[in-house]
């Protein structure tokens, strides 16, 4: 390691925590503060040989932190506009995630109200994506039993008032 690298490493080990606190006071996010400090320390390392008074390094790094943060702040783009009305999202073609979750919850409640045997067959067929043959093998019943039980279960689900559309 070169003398410059050793001196710099020694400085960062000694002053790093204090400088990080300074960076945190300049940003709202701890991760941004770490990035800010790294950027300032990189700039300091590049200028290390040009800094005449190493006793004043703290001030140099703090000024670099502040200048870097100011540059970041100036570069950010603001896409916020003050209005009197709250705009509604104009997302078309995408279902509302809250509504989707409500529908899934209603379906799970309705399935839980089915008799145990029908519930098992519906879950295996539609949630585990098994074929009628696979479902019959797992449950130890005939394929015809699976078909009729699933048909009755789907009929009950269609009639469930919680699942009706409208």
């Amino acid at each position: 390691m070169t003398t410059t690298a050793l001196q710099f490493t020694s400085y960062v080990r000694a002053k790093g925590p204090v400088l990080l606190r300074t960076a945190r006071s300049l940003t709202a996010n701890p991760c941004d503060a770490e990035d800010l400090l790294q950027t300032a320390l990189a700039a300091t390392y590049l200028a290390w040989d040009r800094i005449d008074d190493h006793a004043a390094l703290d001030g140099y790094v703090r000024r670099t932190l502040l200048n870097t943060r100011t540059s970041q702040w100036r570069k950010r783009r603001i896409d916020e506009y003050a209005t009197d009305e709250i705009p509604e999202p104009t997302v078309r073609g995408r279902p509302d995630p809250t509504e989707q979750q409500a529908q899934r919850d209603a379906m799970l409640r309705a399935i839980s109200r089915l008799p145990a045997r029908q519930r098992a067959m519906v879950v295996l067929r539609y949630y585990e994506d098994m074929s009628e043959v696979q479902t019959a093998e797992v449950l130890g019943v005939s394929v015809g039993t699976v078909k009729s039980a699933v048909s009755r279960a789907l009929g009950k689900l269609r009639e469930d008032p919680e699942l009706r559309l409208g």
Side-chain angles (χ1 to χ4, degrees), residues 120-121 124-125 128 130-142 146:
M121 291 182 190
L124 290 174
R125 282 284 291 127
E128 296 297 323
M130 290 185 176
S131 68
E132 291 169 339
V133 173
Q134 291 170 322
T135 302
E137 287 174 4
V138 167
L139 297 176
V141 297
S142 70
V146 171

Side-chain angles (χ1 to χ4, degrees), residues 2 4-6 8-9 40-49 51 60:
T2 64
T4 300
L6 288 172
F8 181 76
T9 301
L41 288 175
T44 302
Y45 182 76
L46 293 174
W48 190 264
D49 292 330
I51 300 171
Y60 181 89

Side-chain angles (χ1 to χ4, degrees), residues 138-151:
V138 167
L139 297 176
V141 297
S142 70
V143 174
T145 301
V146 171
K147 287 180 178 182
S148 62
V150 168
S151 176

Side-chain angles (χ1 to χ4, degrees), residues 25-41:
S25 70
L26 296 172
T27 63
N29 182 333
C31 293
D32 290 341
E34 290 174 4
D35 290 344
L36 176 63
L37 180 57
Q38 283 184 349
T39 303
L41 288 175

Side-chain angles (χ1 to χ4, degrees), residues 68-161:
T68 304
R69 181 63 184 135
T70 302
S71 294
Q72 290 172 345
W73 181 80
R74 285 181 179 153
K75 287 178 186 176
R76 74 182 177 131
R77 184 181 160 137
I78 300 175
D79 288 334
E80 297 175 9
Y81 305 98
T83 64
D84 292 333
E85 297 176 17
I86 298 175
E88 292 296 323
T90 57
V91 179
R92 290 192 172 91
R94 286 186 175 167
D96 177 22
T98 305
E99 181 61 32
Q100 284 182 316
Q101 186 62 48
Q103 289 173 353
R104 280 192 291 269
D105 292 345
M107 179 60 77
L108 290 174
R109 284 191 299 275
I111 289 171
S112 72
R113 290 190 291 269
L114 291 173
R117 186 171 158 172
Q118 287 179 357
R119 182 174 53 243
M121 291 182 190
V122 167
V123 168
L124 290 174
R125 282 284 291 127
Y126 298 105
Y127 285 89
E128 296 297 323
D129 201 28
M130 290 185 176
S131 68
E132 291 169 339
V133 173
Q134 291 170 322
T135 302
E137 287 174 4
V138 167
L139 297 176
V141 297
S142 70
V143 174
T145 301
V146 171
K147 287 180 178 182
S148 62
V150 168
S151 176
R152 283 191 302 276
L154 292 177
K156 288 178 184 178
L157 292 174
R158 280 188 209 100
E159 297 300 317
D160 191 300

Side-chain angles (χ1 to χ4, degrees), residues 50-66:
R50 291 176 296 175
I51 300 171
D52 295 327
D53 185 9
H54 281 223
L57 274 172
D58 291 351
Y60 181 89
V61 175
R62 283 191 178 92
R63 174 46 73 190
T64 305
L65 281 169
L66 185 58

